[in-house]
Amino acid sequence: MARWSLQNRARGEGAAGAVLEDVRVEADSASEPVPDAMLEGVGAVAPVPEADGRTSLVETNAFSGPIRVPTPQPVGDSGITTHPLVLGGSVFGWTLGPDDSERVLDRFAAQGGTMLDTADSYAAGRSETIIGRWMASRATRDRMVVATKVGRHPDHPGLSPESIHGAVDDSLQRLRTDRIDLLYLHGEDPDVPLAETLGELGALIAAGKVRAVGASDFSPERLIEARVLAANGLPRLETLTTRYNLMDRSPYEGSTELVAHAQGLSVLPYFALANGFLAGRVRRRAEVAHDARGARLARHLGRRGARVLAALDDIAFRRGVEPATVAIAWLQAKPTVVAPVAGVSAPEQVDALMAAASLQLHRSELVELDRASA
């Protein structure tokens, strides 16, 4: 009986009319366990009978059968692969409580999602705790790729070997796992030589606590320094996560993009929906919430923002999808981008994000969006 109620809820109201969120903040009881067999069919799409090279079958429970999902993309040379959409977990434990967070995670996993993005500083570690309890209750650890960040938790600030070692041990405990698949350095630390930081990461990899490492918001110069050190035997950065979307293009496009491309870094951009602005649900200042999130969204209101939303609306209408789907698909079309990172505030909002992987924008549509956001 529980299986029926869970599946019906997931297949209810779609993403249309929902306000999607894309929040990445440094803000300072789990529900009853649900068997993995129950969640795997939630929100599943109909199976596609023939393989086409761009999709693969994922087995679910016997009730719903297999679903076809986009073929996982490689993350650098790490041996890790991911669905081309990463679920951001910054709202877990902050604006979403454990129950709502788990419903979002259920929806994401059931539609073939594989990578979860969090940080030890998100909600003072509560985001990691919620993800860990969810993976334990659903027995999904081996299906998911866990990416977390260290360097900004008040108990382990900075990127010294001591801070990193303590931060990783605490994250492993909160996540209820024996390894972190992808560990990000959460920003640069000018007070610690990068060689010392990478040396500690090498020790963690050798101990089996970390599989691969990446950088969050590193400058091109720092990325080049890291590659020189990697050539001398220290761990190589495999990924870069940085702010990048239709409204925030200049910080990434240019020297950072050139370095990422030259080094073969897999880029997983955060703020993929510009704090929810690109979902198109807020278009006037009177509609903006009077909080920190609303302030970040409000900065995009103006002539340029109106042009971008108009272009998204036009393409979304022609394709029969949500504006958010188009915004994510624009990122996925970029050659250096492996998977955008986006968060939601409700389970049904996952659908529009996941749909982007099946939307191949035409060249003319990409040009239209590039011009509108220039």
Side-chain angles (χ1 to χ4, degrees), residues 21-244:
E21 302 291 343
D22 181 53
V23 187
R24 188 175 189 265
V25 296
E26 309 305 324
D28 196 346
S29 85
S31 61
E32 285 294 319
V34 178
D36 189 53
M38 287 174 61
L39 71 90
E40 293 197 24
V42 181
V45 297
V48 179
E50 298 295 335
D52 57 12
R54 296 178 54 247
T55 62
S56 56
L57 282 175
V58 174
E59 291 296 330
T60 59
N61 61 75
F63 176 77
S64 60
I67 61 172
R68 189 168 293 285
V69 299
T71 299
Q73 302 299 303
V75 178
D77 294 325
S78 64
I80 297 171
T81 60
T82 179
H83 182 283
L85 189 283
V86 177
L87 182 65
S90 65
V91 296
F92 299 159
W94 181 50
T95 58
L96 286 185
D99 291 350
D100 289 335
S101 298
E102 290 186 358
R103 282 189 280 270
V104 168
L105 289 162
D106 285 345
R107 189 85 163 212
F108 177 71
Q111 295 194 29
T114 55
M115 183 179 284
L116 306 173
D117 176 271
T118 184
D120 65 354
S121 59
Y122 289 168
R126 291 190 296 276
S127 174
E128 288 183 329
T129 298
I130 289 172
I131 290 172
R133 296 180 72 169
W134 174 80
M135 290 191 299
S137 67
R138 271 63 165 178
T140 55
R141 177 61 188 96
D142 291 338
R143 292 175 50 203
M144 309 309 293
V145 176
V146 178
T148 193
K149 310 172 195 69
V150 295
R152 295 186 183 178
H153 194 283
D155 292 343
H156 306 287
L159 299 177
S160 69
E162 297 77 16
S163 287
I164 293 175
H165 188 91
V168 166
D169 282 347
D170 285 356
S171 288
L172 289 172
Q173 185 174 12
R174 286 189 291 265
L175 289 164
R176 301 191 184 191
T177 185
D178 61 348
R179 82 277 185 192
I180 294 169
D181 297 303
L182 177 58
L183 181 69
Y184 283 108
L185 301 175
H186 208 169
E188 299 180 15
D189 186 345
D191 297 326
V192 178
L194 187 57
E196 293 185 11
T197 298
L198 293 177
E200 176 60 24
L201 295 179
L204 291 169
I205 292 173
K209 294 182 178 181
V210 173
R211 293 179 61 192
V213 294
S216 175
D217 292 322
F218 269 32
S219 67
E221 294 77 16
R222 202 66 159 171
L223 291 172
I224 292 172
E225 180 186 358
R227 183 51 58 92
V228 172
L229 292 170
N232 288 279
L234 291 174
R236 169 179 167 172
L237 299 179
E238 301 288 352
T239 69
L240 172 69
T241 184
T242 187
R243 179 196 299 262
Y244 186 39

